[in-house]
Amino acid sequence: MTPFLRRLLAIVALLCPLLLQAQERIQIRPLADPKPAVVSMLGAHALTADDAQRWLDDQVPTALKAADSAGAVVVIVKDGQVLLARGYGYADVAGRRPVDPASTLFRAGSLSKLFTWTAVMQLVEQGRLDLDADINRYLDFAIPPWQGKPITLRELMTHTAGFEEVHKDRYQSADEPIISNADWVKATLPARIYAPGEVVAYSNYGGALAGYIVQRVAGQPFETYVQQHIFDPLGMRYASFAQPLPATLLPSMARSYDRASQPAKAFELIPAAAAGGMSVSGRAMASFMIALLDQGRYGEAHILQPDTLQAMQRYERDGIPGLLPTGLGFERKDRNGQIVLGQGGSTRWFHSRLLLYPQQRVGLFVAVSGASDAQLRHTLSAGFADRYFPALPARAPPTLSTARTHGALLVCDYLNSRHSESNFNALLNLFDQPRIAMDRAGNLMTLGFGEPARHWREVKPLLWLDDASGDYLGAQLEHGALRWISYGERAPIVQFMPVPARYDRLANLTLLGVLGAILLVFVLAWPLAALVRHRHHRTLEPTAARRWFHASRIAAIVPLLAGGAWWLALTAVAWNIMQADLLIRLAQLLTLLGVLGVLVALVNVVYAWRLRGGWWNKLTSPLLLLTLLGALWFVGNFHLLTLRLHY
């Protein structure tokens, strides 16, 4: 061994005891797991009770005054707790009773469906319902298949069952016994106008039908089931599907108002209860939101298992590429890159909205009493997201060079997928046709969609951006032709299709105007001709030809009267006037007489051409016949003589 190695070994031998002694004194402690970083967007406000109250106090009273609305409630939950619950205005204007967020009940409208879907999923958990089975197995009446395809609960929950829109008995007078949800579903079965699973068309009937299925499978009334399995476990004392309300809750109900400056209306009765008949307070809704944000748990109660709730909240039915997908029960209302789940609701006198931010464990509920909320729900929804969860800074994407070419495919009139076809309400399709146009810059403009005109730039193929709101409009083609479009928050619940030829507004209204003008000329010329004959001391001989001539002029009057009757009937349906059925039958009677008038006009033509002379009558009588035949187009195309009054 070399001298160097001997010295090195000697040094190591001296150091080893020292190293062992030091190691005994050193204690190694593992580092604690770092807390997840809380990302705060640039410009975001901290979501605290104080900040939220200042913001709401600045927004809500002003909006209520502008809309002449009576009152409102706003509730925010965060991390399993009620962060803020505020009442504004009055539950009873005349009695000066303020809105109490804990106890004042508001009608929830379509927000009721979230409880119906929850009830469905509870029974799915128990194996008593199958989301993908033919729903006829749960019913005591048959829903015919569409080209061999049945409807499933999944299609009811995604509004893709294919039902046409229903208007009949949306509301009832408080003076008569309410039609139950079960009876309404059976009596109002709408026609199927789409294949199941194909077209998204929001359906109140689908929600009511799901509630009836819950009732059938659970073996108890729907409102009782929800009370026992959702309201009671969540401690929702101020919530009910009962109509009229129980005596214990009636004093807490907010009065119904068209305008706060006008007398209160009667309590609304909604036969399709499972689709829109719930009454609820803001604080009660907070418990429901907390459970939905905390894996179905509220305190010691579980209304849904975590896996079930995740299956609902994570489900996405892809629709138009680039737009919000359709959820399973929940509507997707994403904003600023945040996943947002929710539902809106409206009755004649109340409006509501619920939004959940599952990633943030935050929920927002807004309800307003009054026929108009001056867009308060939408203003608060957008403002809440922009204030507390603003979007990341990003450059505006450039407009594509294909904007004009692709945009030209979308320039036309549209029909909402949520419409009627099998009954006289198809007439409404002529008057509800929003339009897409193109401006000079090649951008699209949406007009008549129930909101101010909006401008859209194509930023991806067949995807347009509204820079003002951040919403996207998308289109889907089939074999190079436009199939349908949708945009923004509407994408998960409705689509808009190019108007089919039979509903072309310009063609139909032009034909209607021409026919009406011709009939009016015949009607006005009839007494004028009699005056002329009287002045020149000439009379028509009392023959069969004369009788048929006069009868043909009466036949010209009847369609004009029928048109007026249909205008009154459709107005009554739109305003849910209880005498609508009587007006509809009157309009149908006049329409039937108008159809019989075609035979009268035909006989008049025969007699006119048999007589010598009378060339004016020979020329005008066929014109009247052709005009009445033209009127038959509207009778057949718009199903004006359907026997059933379930529209």
Side-chain angles (χ1 to χ4, degrees):
M1 182 179 295
T2 64
F4 173 76
L5 287 176
R6 283 196 297 268
R7 285 195 298 271
L8 180 60
L9 289 173
I11 293 172
V12 170
L14 290 172
L15 290 177
C16 278
L18 296 175
L19 289 172
L20 290 172
Q21 186 178 2
Q23 186 176 7
E24 291 176 357
R25 290 197 300 266
I26 296 174
Q27 294 182 359
I28 301 175
R29 296 185 177 90
L31 294 174
D33 292 334
K35 294 182 178 180
V38 178
V39 178
S40 180
M41 301 294 185
L42 185 64
H45 288 245
L47 179 52
T48 65
D50 289 342
D51 187 82
Q53 180 172 328
R54 286 194 300 270
W55 175 64
L56 290 171
D57 289 352
D58 182 58
Q59 299 280 327
V60 180
T62 303
L64 292 180
K65 184 177 180 180
D68 198 6
S69 297
V73 64
V74 184
V75 176
I76 301 171
V77 300
K78 179 183 179 184
D79 295 329
Q81 301 292 327
V82 177
L83 181 74
L84 181 72
R86 292 280 287 169
Y88 297 90
Y90 294 100
D92 182 349
V93 175
R96 312 301 286 178
R97 173 165 59 95
V99 171
D100 182 344
S103 61
T104 299
L105 283 81
F106 290 74
R107 301 311 305 274
S110 287
L111 208 155
S112 308
K113 293 184 182 69
L114 288 182
F115 292 81
T116 301
W117 307 139
T118 300
V120 167
M121 297 306 292
Q122 286 179 336
L123 295 175
V124 169
E125 280 184 348
Q126 300 168 25
R128 302 169 71 183
L129 286 177
D130 183 341
L131 287 180
D132 298 305
D134 183 348
I135 60 173
N136 280 313
R137 72 160 63 172
Y138 308 118
L139 297 171
D140 56 353
F141 66 98
I143 296 181
W146 174 279
Q147 299 177 355
K149 297 179 180 179
I151 296 174
T152 67
L153 276 165
R154 189 181 301 276
E155 286 154 356
L156 293 184
M157 293 181 70
T158 56
H159 298 284
T160 57
F163 292 120
E164 69 178 349
E165 176 68 329
V166 176
H167 297 267
K168 175 75 169 176
D169 291 328
R170 289 176 298 174
Y171 303 99
Q172 260 191 271
S173 170
D175 300 330
E176 57 189 25
I178 186 171
I179 302 170
S180 69
N181 186 82
D183 289 340
W184 185 85
V185 163
K186 295 177 183 179
T188 319
L189 176 61
R192 306 271 294 287
I193 57 177
Y194 310 115
E198 181 178 315
V199 178
V200 179
Y202 189 88
S203 175
N204 282 320
Y205 183 84
L209 183 60
Y212 182 55
I213 290 173
V214 169
Q215 175 173 317
R216 290 268 303 161
V217 172
Q220 60 184 148
F222 171 77
E223 57 270 23
T224 304
Y225 177 90
V226 174
Q227 183 70 47
Q228 293 180 358
H229 294 85
I230 302 178
F231 293 161
D232 289 347
L234 296 180
M236 296 176 65
R237 176 185 171 191
Y238 292 95
S240 178
F241 270 92
Q243 299 179 95
L245 283 170
T248 54
L249 293 180
L250 196 57
S252 298
M253 183 68 213
R255 301 294 302 274
S256 303
Y257 294 95
D258 183 356
R259 296 177 179 275
S261 57
Q262 298 175 356
K265 307 288 185 180
F267 180 82
E268 297 171 292
L269 296 178
I270 301 173
M278 184 177 69
S279 304
V280 66
S281 75
R283 184 59 183 81
M285 191 62 80
S287 302
F288 184 61
M289 289 193 293
I290 290 171
L292 294 179
L293 290 165
D294 197 13
Q295 303 186 66
R297 184 179 65 249
Y298 180 77
E300 298 300 319
H302 259 97
I303 58 169
L304 286 174
Q305 294 301 316
D307 290 347
T308 305
L309 194 58
Q310 288 183 14
M312 288 182 71
Q313 295 184 351
R314 294 179 180 178
Y315 179 85
E316 294 185 356
R317 178 193 178 276
D318 292 331
I320 299 174
L323 300 187
L324 293 176
T326 299
L328 188 63
F330 291 103
E331 294 178 15
R332 288 290 292 272
K333 298 180 181 293
D334 301 5
R335 187 177 177 89
N336 297 344
Q338 298 285 335
I339 293 177
V340 185
L341 307 173
Q343 174 77 49
S346 287
T347 68
R348 286 178 297 180
W349 318 125
F350 291 88
H351 307 277
S352 62
R353 199 170 221 215
L354 180 149
L355 298 175
L356 302 175
Y357 292 75
Q359 295 166 308
Q360 308 290 342
R361 298 186 68 208
V362 167
L364 170 69
F365 171 67
V366 181
V368 182
S369 63
S372 170
D373 70 343
Q375 297 295 306
L376 176 60
R377 292 173 299 162
H378 301 284
T379 300
L380 292 184
S381 299
F384 184 82
D386 294 344
R387 185 177 184 86
Y388 299 112
F389 311 112
L392 288 169
R395 290 185 178 181
T399 303
L400 298 187
S401 59
T402 56
R404 285 190 179 276
T405 304
H406 288 167
L409 298 173
L410 276 63
V411 174
C412 63
D413 293 334
Y414 288 87
L415 188 63
N416 192 320
S417 60
R418 188 183 179 186
H419 68 271
S420 298
E421 291 187 8
S422 71
N423 56 70
F424 60 85
N425 271 316
L427 279 170
L428 298 176
N429 298 336
L430 295 180
F431 305 100
D432 185 17
Q433 295 184 8
R435 179 172 179 75
I436 289 183
M438 185 179 291
D439 62 21
R440 293 181 179 180
N443 299 325
L444 297 181
M445 295 186 297
T446 48
L447 308 168
F449 282 83
E451 58 188 14
R454 299 171 70 176
H455 294 258
W456 310 78
R457 299 185 301 108
E458 189 183 28
V459 294
K460 293 182 180 179
L462 299 179
L463 194 66
W464 287 260
L465 170 67
D466 171 21
D467 290 299
S469 67
D471 288 342
Y472 285 93
L473 180 151
Q476 193 159 357
L477 306 183
E478 188 174 51
H479 306 302
L482 178 63
R483 190 179 188 190
W484 49 51
I485 66 105
S486 197
Y487 67 93
E489 289 186 5
R490 292 191 173 190
I493 57 173
V494 292
Q495 293 163 330
F496 298 88
M497 307 164 225
V499 174
R502 69 182 183 279
Y503 295 140
D504 184 276
R505 177 165 50 191
L506 179 60
N508 277 284
L509 294 184
T510 299
L511 177 61
L512 186 64
V514 170
L515 295 178
I518 293 173
L519 291 174
L520 188 60
V521 169
F522 272 101
V523 171
L524 295 177
W526 184 23
L528 290 176
L531 288 174
V532 171
R533 287 194 301 272
H534 178 74
R535 184 174 181 180
H536 291 85
H537 306 288
R538 289 185 296 180
T539 59
L540 294 176
E541 297 181 5
T543 61
R546 178 183 176 184
R547 288 193 295 272
W548 285 106
F549 169 81
H550 288 307
S552 69
R553 270 42 185 180
I554 294 174
I557 296 174
V558 173
L560 296 175
L561 295 175
W566 279 116
W567 181 82
L568 290 174
L570 290 175
T571 302
V573 170
W575 287 93
N576 201 63
I577 297 173
M578 300 307 161
Q579 291 74 24
D581 286 359
L582 180 61
L583 290 172
I584 291 165
R585 287 307 192 202
L586 174 61
Q588 289 184 323
L589 175 61
L590 291 170
T591 301
L592 180 60
L593 293 175
V595 171
L596 297 176
V598 174
L599 299 177
V600 174
L602 177 61
V603 174
N604 180 55
V605 170
V606 173
Y607 274 99
W609 280 85
R610 281 182 177 178
L611 296 176
R612 292 182 180 181
W615 288 104
W616 179 250
N617 195 28
K618 283 181 169 60
L619 294 175
T620 57
S621 57
L623 177 60
L624 176 59
L625 176 61
L626 290 173
T627 302
L628 294 176
L629 286 172
L632 290 181
W633 158 258
F634 291 93
V635 177
N637 189 53
F638 297 101
H639 307 284
L640 301 186
L641 290 179
T642 50
L643 295 178
R644 293 178 75 239
L645 277 180
H646 302 302
Y647 44 85

